[in-house]
Amino acid sequence: MPSRRDMLLFFAASAVAGWTAPRALAAPLTAAAEPGLRGAIDAVDYRAVPESGDRKTRNLQQMIEQAARENVPVFLPPGTYRISNLTLPDNTRISGVPGASRIVYTGEGHLFAAENVRRIELSNLVIDGGNRWLGDYAGGLLQFTGVDEVLIDNCEIGGSRKHGLQLERCGGRIERSRISGAAQSGLYAVESANLSISGNTVSDCGNGGILVHRWKKAEDGTVVSGNRISNIRANDGGTGENGNGVNIFRADGVMVVNNHISDCAFTAIRANSASDIQISSNQCRRSGETAIYVEFAFEGAVVSANLIDGAANGISIANFDEGGRLASVTGNVVRNLTLRGPYKHEVGFGIGIAAEADTLISSNVIEGAPRWGLQIGWGPYLRNVVVSGNVVRKAPVGCAVSVADGAGTAVITDNVFQETAEGAVLGFQWEKKVSGEMAGGGAPYAQLTVERNRVS
C-alpha cells in the first residue's frame, strides 16, 4: 500500500490543479482507505504542475526519464499541462485521471514521440492538439516509430493538424480510446507487427478513420475489432484513397471484425491489395460509395455476416485485371442502395454485390439495389464464380452476368429473385444487355450454368 507521504504528494499536486481533498480524505489515512498508486512518480516532485507553460516541459521530460530508469509509472494529477516536443524513452508509462488529466500541445514541432524502443504506455489521459501546426517531420500529434509495444488505453486524442496517432513499425494495443478531429486520419499504422486496435471511437476526421498500410505488400496481422467509426470526410478528394472508415493497403492477414461504421464519404471498409483478409460481422451504414470494397492485387478474402444499410454499392470484389481473386462472400445483408455516388463511374452505382474471379457468393440477402442486385464479371474479367442460395428483392435486374468475349465460367443456381422488373438473370456485354431471361435454365452460353432459380 502507498505511504502517507505518497498520498500527501498526490493531494499536493492535485491542489495545485485547483482540486481540494474532501474533508474525509484529508484526515489520516487508514489501510483500508489507501488507493492503489504505489510507487508512482508524481508531477509535483518536478514542478511539472498544471498550467505551468512551455518552460516546464524540460521538468516533465526529466521526470519521465527518471521514472523510466527506475521502472515506475508517472502519474499526472488532474489539471492542464501545456507542453510540446516530448521524447519518450523506453519503458515510459504515463497515466492520469480519466477526463481530468489534460495535456495540451503548445506547437512548434510535435507533442509525444518515441523511436526504436521496446515499450511505451499511455493511459487515462486527455491529449489535445488544439489544431496547432505540426513540424514537417511529424506525421501525427503522437508519433511512434519502431516501438515493439505501444499500449494506449482509455485516452482522448483530439485536434491534430495531421494524423491523430501515427505508428510506424510498431506492435501493441490501441484500445478503449476516443480519437476525433484529426485533419488526416484518426489512426495511421504502417508496417505494423501484430497490432491490435480494439474498442475505440474514431470520429469527425478529415480524410480517414483507421488506416493499416504497408510500404510493400507483406504479412501484417493487425486486428481491427469492436471500434465505432463515424463522420469520416474526404477533404483531399480522390476516388477512394480518402474518405474510408477502415482502409487496409498492402497489409496481408488483417482481420476487420465487429465494427460499427457510419457516415463515411466513401467506403466503410476498403481493402486494397490486401491478401488473406477477413471482413466479418461489421455494421456499415450510410456509405457514400461502396460499403465494403476488396480490390486490386489480392488473393484470399472472406466477407461474411456484415450488415450494410445505405450505400452507393454494397460489396465489391474487383480488379481481376490487377490480380484480384479468390474470395468468399456469404451471409451478408445489403439494403437501401442508391444510384448516386461521389464521382462518375463507368459501371455505375446501385449494385448490391459484385465479383469477378474465383469467388463464392452464397446465402446473402439483397434488397433495394436500384441498378443490379448481383454483378458477376465485367467484360472478359470473369472466372469461376458461383452464385447460390441468395435472395434478391426490389432490383431492376436481379443478376447481371458477363457474356462478353473472353468471359469465363459462372454457376448461378438456387437463388430467389423477387420484383426484378427487367429480368432475374440477364447476360451483359459490358454495360449492354444482350440476352433474354435465363433464370429458369437453358442459358445459351456455354460458360454459364443457370438452373433452379425461383422468380416471383
Side-chain angles (χ1 to χ4, degrees):
M1 303 299 289
S3 67
R4 180 174 176 78
R5 177 182 177 277
D6 291 334
M7 290 309 302
L8 289 174
L9 285 174
F10 168 74
F11 291 136
S14 300
V16 173
W19 180 87
T20 303
R23 182 171 299 177
L25 290 178
L29 293 170
T30 64
E34 293 175 359
L37 294 172
R38 182 178 182 86
I41 289 182
D42 200 293
V44 74
D45 288 339
Y46 281 79
R47 298 198 171 112
V49 294
E51 300 292 0
S52 59
D54 291 340
R55 68 185 184 277
K56 296 298 184 182
T57 295
R58 185 173 61 180
N59 292 355
L60 187 57
Q61 179 78 56
Q62 291 171 348
M63 179 178 66
I64 291 168
E65 290 172 356
Q66 180 186 336
R69 288 193 300 270
E70 295 179 2
N71 196 28
V72 296
V74 170
F75 174 70
L76 297 182
T80 299
Y81 301 80
R82 301 185 184 278
I83 57 176
S84 63
N85 297 322
L86 285 180
T87 299
L88 305 183
D90 187 23
N91 208 29
T92 293
R93 286 173 285 169
I94 305 175
S95 65
V97 176
S101 299
R102 186 180 186 86
I103 298 172
V104 175
Y105 172 56
T106 59
E108 301 180 3
H110 66 272
L111 180 52
F112 285 155
E115 185 171 1
N116 298 328
V117 299
R118 191 185 66 83
R119 180 186 175 96
I120 300 292
E121 183 171 352
L122 306 175
S123 61
N124 301 326
L125 301 172
V126 178
I127 300 170
D128 184 359
N131 296 309
R132 292 181 176 85
W133 177 85
L134 289 163
D136 293 341
Y137 64 89
L141 185 64
L142 281 67
Q143 180 164 314
F144 301 127
T145 303
V147 181
D148 293 342
E149 195 170 20
V150 176
L151 303 174
I152 297 179
D153 179 29
N154 198 30
C155 290
E156 298 180 29
I157 303 170
S160 174
R161 285 280 291 270
K162 297 182 181 178
H163 302 296
L165 172 63
Q166 176 169 310
L167 307 175
E168 183 172 352
R169 295 184 287 109
C170 294
R173 302 191 310 273
I174 313 301
E175 57 191 3
R176 302 193 310 157
S177 294
R178 293 154 298 286
I179 306 174
S180 63
Q184 291 297 323
S185 69
L187 193 163
Y188 174 51
V190 60
E191 299 282 307
S192 302
N194 301 317
L195 182 66
S196 177
I197 305 168
S198 63
N200 303 285
T201 298
V202 180
S203 62
D204 300 305
C205 295
N207 282 309
I210 295 173
L211 278 55
V212 178
H213 290 188
R214 299 192 74 85
W215 302 124
K216 293 183 179 180
K217 183 175 170 60
E219 185 171 353
D220 187 279
T222 294
V223 175
V224 182
S225 67
N227 301 284
R228 185 178 294 272
I229 303 168
S230 62
N231 298 315
I232 303 302
R233 303 181 299 279
N235 290 345
D236 290 347
T239 57
E241 57 270 38
N242 298 305
N244 306 304
V246 177
N247 180 212
I248 314 299
F249 179 49
R250 295 182 181 144
D252 296 346
V254 173
M255 297 175 64
V256 183
V257 297
N258 299 322
N259 300 283
H260 189 289
I261 306 171
S262 61
D263 300 294
C264 296
F266 276 75
T267 298
I269 302 167
R270 193 179 200 100
N272 183 317
S273 302
S275 296
D276 297 332
I277 187 165
Q278 182 175 340
I279 302 172
S280 299
S281 301
N282 301 283
Q283 187 154 136
C284 308
R285 304 176 69 86
R286 297 180 297 276
S287 300
E289 192 217 33
T290 301
I292 297 177
Y293 219 143
V294 182
E295 60 180 348
F296 290 101
F298 73 91
E299 291 189 0
V302 172
V303 181
S304 64
N306 300 285
L307 192 153
I308 295 168
D309 189 344
N313 292 324
I315 298 170
S316 182
I317 312 296
N319 299 115
F320 184 34
D321 57 330
E322 300 283 345
R325 56 174 291 274
L326 200 64
S328 172
V329 182
T330 60
N332 302 281
V333 174
V334 179
R335 61 194 297 258
N336 295 330
L337 305 182
T338 177
L339 292 168
R340 298 184 304 275
Y343 56 89
K344 186 175 181 179
H345 194 281
E346 62 177 344
V347 182
F349 296 105
I351 298 168
I353 297 176
E356 294 179 357
D358 306 332
T359 297
L360 170 67
I361 303 174
S362 179
S363 304
N364 302 284
V365 178
I366 302 167
E367 181 177 273
R371 183 176 175 85
W372 301 333
L374 295 159
Q375 179 195 339
I376 310 305
W378 179 243
Y381 304 114
L382 170 62
R383 186 179 76 185
N384 302 339
V385 177
V386 174
V387 181
S388 178
N390 302 283
V391 176
V392 179
R393 300 185 67 248
K394 297 183 179 179
V397 174
C399 178
V401 58
S402 179
V403 293
D405 291 345
T409 298
V411 175
I412 304 168
T413 62
D414 300 295
N415 301 284
V416 175
F417 298 98
Q418 185 179 60
E419 297 184 47
T420 52
E422 296 179 21
V425 180
L426 300 176
F428 279 76
Q429 293 179 352
W430 303 99
E431 72 281 359
K432 181 181 179 181
K433 182 177 71 174
V434 294
S435 84
E437 179 64 77
M438 298 187 292
Y445 302 97
Q447 77 270 27
L448 299 183
T449 299
V450 184
E451 58 189 17
R452 298 190 306 277
N453 299 287
R454 181 170 290 275
V455 180
S456 61

